[in-house]
Amino acid sequence: MGGKCPHRSIKKRRYSHKTARRTKFLIKGDDMVYDQLNKADEERPLPVDEDLPGMGQYYCLHCDRYFSNVAVRDEHFKTKKHKKRVKQMMGPAPHTQLDAELAAGMGMPDNGPKLMSM
């Protein structure tokens, strides 16, 4: 009555729940966050949204993330990831979609200077 254990032949695929969780709340691009940081606007309370963590009240502007409570948000402010993001957003402006299109040659054509017509 020997032999292999029957459940050893079936291997379960490991599903990463982290990736599904990260994509649940889509983040903005670097250029959108940079523009939002540079806009001069006064502090106004965030609107209540039941679909977001913490009813949408605890938000990190630099990382574009919502948190469940103040303690978690304050812990996030101490992390290396947040500090790198703040440093990145305080530097030069990130690339935009227009820059990418011009680099790929999909921008406006350069036909040279106009010649005088007679």
Side-chain angles (χ1 to χ4, degrees):
M1 294 218 174
K4 289 185 175 180
C5 186
H7 71 272
R8 294 232 178 191
S9 63
I10 301 171
K11 291 186 178 180
K12 292 182 181 178
R13 289 183 182 245
R14 299 196 187 274
Y15 178 73
S16 175
H17 296 285
K18 283 187 174 183
T19 56
R21 180 75 180 150
R22 284 186 193 128
T23 58
K24 185 174 182 181
F25 305 106
L26 296 175
I27 60 172
K28 301 175 191 167
D30 292 346
D31 54 341
M32 293 175 68
V33 173
Y34 186 83
D35 291 341
Q36 190 176 5
L37 281 171
N38 288 339
K39 275 196 300 188
D41 60 330
E42 62 277 348
E43 281 290 320
R44 58 178 183 252
L46 295 170
V48 175
D49 188 359
E50 294 179 2
D51 295 334
L52 296 173
M55 304 288 280
Q57 297 301 305
Y58 310 107
Y59 179 66
C60 175
L61 188 63
H62 296 93
C63 301
D64 189 41
R65 287 187 61 191
Y66 290 93
F67 299 97
S68 57
N69 56 28
V70 177
V72 176
R73 185 189 64 187
D74 292 342
E75 282 297 316
H76 164 75
F77 288 156
K78 297 176 187 175
T79 61
K80 185 185 285 187
K81 196 172 190 179
H82 174 77
K83 290 177 183 176
K84 280 185 177 182
R85 183 77 173 180
V86 170
K87 189 175 181 180
Q88 178 186 6
M89 289 295 131
M90 294 302 163
H95 298 291
T96 61
Q97 183 64 30
L98 179 63
D99 295 338
E101 289 174 359
L102 290 174
M106 296 170 37
M108 296 176 57
D110 183 20
N111 296 332
K114 286 189 175 183
L115 301 176
M116 295 177 54
S117 62
M118 293 192 171

